[in-house]
């Protein structure tokens, strides 16, 4: 090891990981939390970071530890949207329950279907979604008129279907929910983001409980990364609330492009993700 590297970073450990590795994880998780609070898709950033840092450990520990840090961070961004009054509880509390139920169904479906099928489908769908997002010149700052029952049907159906996708595969779930809530559910960007946070938090809590019971969480590293996630989510939520569609729309495009890159890399280099 080079003498220029302080021994603090090489000798100090947390759960057996050198301090510089923990700081690397925290940096990636902060960026993931910041992006996730604005447009969803934080796992596209945080999971590869954990994969590189946890090299040699089973993937279950990557996913379990990521769920812990993500869940705690999401709780703070959700609280910020709630505090600002951007969560319609009568609409999104049932949606959260349906998303969790869909996630359970998706997990079971995954056991009987090759996930390569879904990856090829996403390869075709993602460029279309990104193109549609870029072509849409205006994202609403105020909700558009829509019958409440129709809006509820759209939101709840999307929560169930995209929740199923979350259990089956997962990346980009929050982004897809955001797009449906805005363009089909006719919601403004802030209320759509608040609803997505509630749904994500519900599914994350279920995932964290399962991971903790299975013992697949590196607790010390996960809690340290959770602090970075809290900061990222808090700052990202504040930016989304202040700037609305000005920041959310470009962030959604970035997430969709990152997801496209992830899908292509999984198909070309499957061993990296396993």
């Amino acid at each position: 090891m080079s003498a220029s590297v302080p021994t603090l970073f090489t000798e100090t450990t947390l759960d057996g990981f050198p301090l510089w590795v923990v700081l690397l994880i925290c940096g990636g998780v902060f960026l993931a939390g910041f992006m996730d609070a604005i447009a969803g898709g934080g796992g596209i950033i945080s999971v590869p970071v954990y994969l590189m840092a946890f090299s040699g450990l089973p993937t279950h520990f990557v996913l379990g530890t990521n769920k812990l840090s993500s869940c705690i961070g999401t709780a703070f961004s959700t609280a910020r949207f709630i505090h600002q009054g951007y969560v319609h509880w009568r609409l999104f509390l049932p949606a959260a329950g349906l998303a969790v139920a869909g996630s359970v169904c998706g997990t079971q479906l995954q056991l009987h279907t090759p996930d390569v099928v879904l990856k090829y489908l996403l390869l075709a769908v993602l460029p279309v979604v990104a193109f549609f997002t870029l072509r849409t010149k205006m994202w609403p700052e105020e909700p558009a008129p829509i019958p409440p029952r129709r809006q509820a049907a759209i939101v709840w159906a999307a929560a169930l279907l995209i929740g199923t996708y979350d259990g089956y595969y997962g990346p980009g779930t929050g982004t897809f929910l955001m797009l449906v809530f805005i363009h089909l559910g006719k919601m403004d960007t802030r209320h759509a983001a608040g609803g997505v946070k509630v749904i994500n938090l519900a599914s994350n809590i279920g995932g964290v409980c399962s991971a903790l019971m299975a013992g697949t969480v590196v607790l010390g590293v996960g809690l340290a990364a959770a602090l970075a996630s809290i900061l990222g989510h808090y700052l990202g939520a504040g930016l989304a609330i202040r700037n609305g569609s000005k920041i959310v729309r470009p962030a959604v495009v970035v997430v969709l492009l990152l997801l496209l890159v992830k899908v292509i890399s999984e198909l070309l280099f499957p061993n990296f993700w396993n």
Side-chain angles (χ1 to χ4, degrees), residues 8-62:
L8 171 68
F9 291 93
T10 58
E11 294 181 358
T12 303
T13 63
L14 179 62
D15 288 333
F17 293 90
L19 182 58
W20 71 268
V21 173
V22 177
L23 292 176
L24 176 66
I25 292 171
C26 288
V29 169
F30 166 80
L31 183 60
F34 184 80
M35 181 66 74
D36 198 56
I38 297 172
I44 301 171
I45 300 172
S46 61
V47 170
V49 171
Y50 274 113
L51 278 169
M52 288 186 289
F54 283 14
S55 178
L57 283 179
T59 307
H60 299 300
F61 285 88
V62 169

